[in-house]
Amino acid sequence: MARKSEKFLELYGYDLLLGSIAAFYVFMVPYTKVEESFNVQAMHDILYHRNQIEKYDHLEFPGVVPRTFVGALLVSILASPVVLLTNLLHLPKLYSLYAVRLVLGGIVLSTLRFFRIQIKKKFGSQVEAFFVILTVSQFHLLFYCTRPLPNILAFALVNLAYGFWFKGSLYAALNCMVFATLVFRCDILLLIAPLGLELLLTKSVSFWKALTSCLAAAFLSIGLTVLVDSVIWKRLLWPELEVFWFNSVLNKSSEWGTHPFHWYFTSALPRSLLAAYPLFLLGVLLDRRVFFYILPVLSFVLLYSKLPHKELRFIISSIPVFNFAAAVAASRLYNNRKKSFWKFLYIAMLGFILGSLACTAVFFMASYKNYPSGYALKALHRIRGVTKNSDELRVHIDTFSAMNGISRFCEYNYPWRYSKEENISLEDLKMRNFTFLLNENSYIEGFKCLMSVDGFSRVHVRTGFPPISLAKEPKVFIHGNIRNTDIMNRGWPGCSVIPEAYITMEENCNEA
């Protein structure tokens, strides 16, 4: 038994470590934001409405551009046995949200495992070990790998492509990226283009064989997404083509904010890579083989930097290769740690990794408080408020609340009823006979503010210990209809509208 346990840990120990951290993030921060809303609602509807497409959320709230159901369908199928069990046990829908997010994380981490194994075969087990250490010391990759974003669905396929690339199965690598580009994220084109060009210039692939292979993959990818999405969207549709037209041709993505050209290199990559950021540059210098793998990924980030609208999740597919390059450098520093000059570099590396862990703790605590409306709805359900005057409890969720933590997985069954109707003025809310409101405004005529929920505001650097504190402020307010005497007579925490409440990391940890 001992030998079997050792063998199991040898084979899957790293996967257990990475998976347990990702699962921790799921259970501690289960709620989702607006960027994830389409796939979250799609998974809910597939699991709970099945073939009753007319009840699907996307028909009422289609979003700015259509997205594919292919990823949501796959995750829902894999999660359906667990969801069936939760339904039989009459557990809240939130458990189903745990299930779909854990399944998605399992898919992404399994493809990352494939890539990691190829790193081990090509560069050794020590480089693999440092790859895992650096990944664990970072926050964003393991936090995002369970979040149902189109970027993450594409990320799983890009990890497969990286694995095939390192393995030498170059046509398979290109096919994975073609599928990711045409089905999930058209911007992966910015990654496949420099990679394909490098493979052609180094004569690693044949132009005509690569062309025919990619065309075959393209036809299959387009056929799949058009077939699935045309049925569910109820019109002939290739979602990523419309996304490409909206973001690239019309350039409307800049309406959601812009950043300067250097933002990915001066903000996004330093925050996501942490210790791996200086190490990957060192890895390029210490091992000539690394440059071959870094160049296409670095070109991907450079090309993406030309687009004015920037978000960290857009370049998350680059992180594994940067981590690989950093792991090569870390392995070299470890092997030479007893030499006089290298010793100082090795100590500096250890300091950077410890600093990464500290930054990861700060990022986690900020994220923990970054979904206020999810916690607000949970608090409302817990306190309940079942009344004698009404059979139904009608809750209106404003746009801010819908974007910051609430999805259909958060809803309860009868007597609770929910409305996300938009464009209702504050004056008109009292005429709509809602029992409760979840709203970003602290005062609404005709309603009493029953309680407020704080959310993350900003990070403050200060003198003393700890040197960093997190600022919170009331973000979401729960209001009760003053005409409902049962609600008014119940005990509620009340609302305190304070501009900012500063809390230390220790206090935040206690709350968590």
Side-chain angles (χ1 to χ4, degrees):
M1 286 296 294
R3 287 181 179 179
K4 286 184 178 179
S5 299
E6 290 177 5
K7 186 67 175 177
F8 179 83
L9 288 176
E10 182 182 344
L11 290 173
Y12 302 106
Y14 291 147
D15 302 293
L16 288 173
L17 176 62
L18 296 171
S20 61
I21 295 172
F24 170 78
Y25 290 146
V26 170
F27 289 112
M28 292 301 294
V29 192
Y31 305 111
T32 56
K33 279 187 173 285
V34 62
E35 296 88 353
E36 307 153 70
S37 61
F38 173 78
N39 279 306
V40 168
Q41 310 290 31
M43 292 172 188
H44 171 276
D45 294 341
I46 291 169
L47 289 166
Y48 287 94
H49 298 313
R50 300 181 180 90
N51 62 338
Q52 297 176 298
I53 297 176
E54 66 279 359
K55 294 184 178 180
Y56 279 32
D57 184 84
H58 72 286
L59 297 178
E60 184 179 359
F61 302 98
V64 179
V65 288
R67 289 292 184 184
T68 182
F69 274 82
V70 172
L73 184 61
L74 172 63
V75 173
S76 300
I77 290 171
L78 295 176
S80 58
V82 178
V83 174
L84 176 62
L85 180 62
T86 62
N87 291 339
L88 291 174
L89 295 174
H90 301 288
L91 297 174
K93 285 184 182 179
L94 188 62
Y95 287 85
S96 299
L97 180 58
Y98 292 140
V100 296
R101 287 192 56 194
L102 289 171
V103 166
L104 176 59
I107 293 172
V108 174
L109 292 180
S110 65
T111 61
L112 188 66
R113 168 186 166 81
F114 176 64
F115 176 46
R116 197 188 74 236
I117 288 173
Q118 307 313 314
I119 292 175
K120 179 181 179 180
K121 290 179 178 178
K122 202 170 186 70
F123 290 87
S125 57
Q126 190 168 284
V127 173
E128 179 199 20
F130 276 108
F131 177 85
V132 173
I133 291 170
L134 291 169
T135 302
V136 165
S137 69
Q138 297 163 350
F139 173 73
H140 293 91
L141 193 152
L142 293 179
F143 181 78
Y144 272 99
C145 75
T146 64
R147 299 205 156 268
L149 294 157
N151 312 80
I152 299 304
L153 295 167
F155 181 42
L157 285 164
V158 172
N159 283 335
L160 276 181
Y162 289 152
F164 285 124
W165 182 20
F166 276 56
K167 188 179 180 180
S169 302
L170 304 179
Y171 299 104
L174 294 173
N175 290 340
C176 286
M177 289 197 180
V178 167
F179 190 93
T181 301
L182 299 177
V183 177
F184 295 119
R185 285 295 303 191
C186 58
D187 50 18
I188 300 299
L189 178 66
L190 300 178
L191 178 58
I192 193 175
L195 173 60
L197 182 62
E198 180 182 77
L199 295 178
L200 288 172
L201 292 176
T202 57
K203 297 183 179 180
S204 301
V205 296
S206 161
F207 174 78
W208 292 110
K209 187 174 180 181
L211 180 63
T212 54
S213 177
C214 290
L215 283 176
F219 283 124
L220 288 173
S221 303
I222 295 170
L224 175 63
T225 185
V226 169
L227 176 64
V228 171
D229 295 309
S230 295
V231 171
I232 300 180
W233 281 94
K234 295 188 174 181
R235 64 184 176 94
L236 186 62
L237 176 66
W238 174 12
E240 277 309 296
L241 180 61
E242 293 197 14
V243 173
F244 174 78
W245 183 266
F246 181 88
N247 287 336
S248 301
V249 178
L250 300 180
N251 196 25
K252 294 226 177 150
S253 62
S254 58
E255 296 175 2
W256 277 261
T258 61
H259 289 95
F261 177 86
H262 58 79
W263 186 80
Y264 284 129
F265 295 97
T266 57
S267 179
L269 285 176
R271 282 186 289 120
S272 56
L273 294 177
L274 298 174
Y277 195 48
L279 285 173
F280 101 78
L281 295 170
L282 187 60
V284 174
L285 297 174
L286 293 176
D287 193 324
R288 289 182 301 174
R289 297 174 295 173
V290 171
F291 184 72
F292 174 78
Y293 295 106
I294 279 290
L295 183 59
V297 176
L298 198 59
S299 301
F300 165 64
V301 180
L302 278 168
L303 289 170
Y304 224 135
S305 297
K306 294 287 291 180
L307 297 177
H309 179 58
K310 297 176 175 66
E311 293 187 42
L312 188 153
R313 60 189 173 96
F314 293 167
I315 60 163
I316 197 168
S317 297
S318 67
I319 293 178
V321 174
F322 286 127
N323 281 347
F324 147 72
V328 171
S331 178
R332 183 70 66 88
L333 293 177
Y334 178 79
N335 290 335
N336 294 279
R337 67 190 183 279
K338 294 183 180 179
K339 298 178 182 178
S340 57
F341 173 72
W342 292 84
K343 178 172 63 177
F344 297 106
L345 293 177
Y346 177 68
I347 293 172
M349 180 187 75
L350 295 179
F352 276 127
I353 293 175
L354 289 175
S356 294
L357 291 171
C359 289
T360 294
V362 174
F363 290 148
F364 165 69
M365 296 316 304
S367 297
Y368 180 76
K369 285 294 182 180
N370 209 23
Y371 300 82
S373 52
Y375 295 114
L377 188 58
K378 180 181 179 180
L380 179 60
H381 288 150
R382 185 174 64 246
I383 298 176
R384 292 182 64 83
V386 177
T387 68
K388 300 175 183 178
N389 298 334
S390 174
D391 293 330
E392 292 186 346
L393 297 171
R394 301 181 66 228
V395 182
H396 181 264
I397 300 165
D398 74 340
T399 302
F400 178 85
S401 299
M403 293 171 61
N404 287 279
I406 292 179
S407 69
R408 287 191 170 186
F409 282 109
C410 300
E411 298 176 356
Y412 277 26
N413 294 324
Y414 185 87
W416 296 93
R417 293 291 181 265
Y418 306 88
S419 168
K420 293 190 294 182
E421 186 179 346
E422 299 175 345
N423 301 319
I424 304 178
S425 67
L426 296 181
E427 293 76 17
D428 292 339
L429 281 171
K430 66 179 180 181
M431 308 299 295
R432 302 299 296 273
N433 199 32
F434 290 117
T435 316
F436 297 103
L437 307 177
L438 264 65
N439 203 282
E440 63 177 322
N441 294 283
S442 60
Y443 173 78
I444 299 175
E445 187 178 354
F447 291 83
K448 178 183 178 181
C449 191
L450 306 176
M451 65 179 294
S452 61
V453 176
D454 290 346
F456 170 71
S457 177
R458 62 181 63 87
V459 175
H460 283 278
V461 180
R462 62 177 190 175
T463 57
F465 185 84
I468 292 175
S469 64
L470 302 182
K472 296 188 303 180
E473 61 183 26
K475 294 283 188 178
V476 177
F477 300 89
I478 301 176
H479 301 270
N481 197 316
I482 59 175
R483 291 175 292 179
N484 193 312
T485 56
D486 290 339
I487 292 177
M488 294 300 101
N489 291 334
R490 295 176 70 90
W492 295 90
C495 294
S496 57
V497 185
I498 305 172
E500 288 185 347
Y502 296 95
I503 58 173
T504 64
M505 285 294 299
E506 181 179 357
E507 290 170 337
N508 220 340
C509 290
N510 290 335
E511 290 184 13

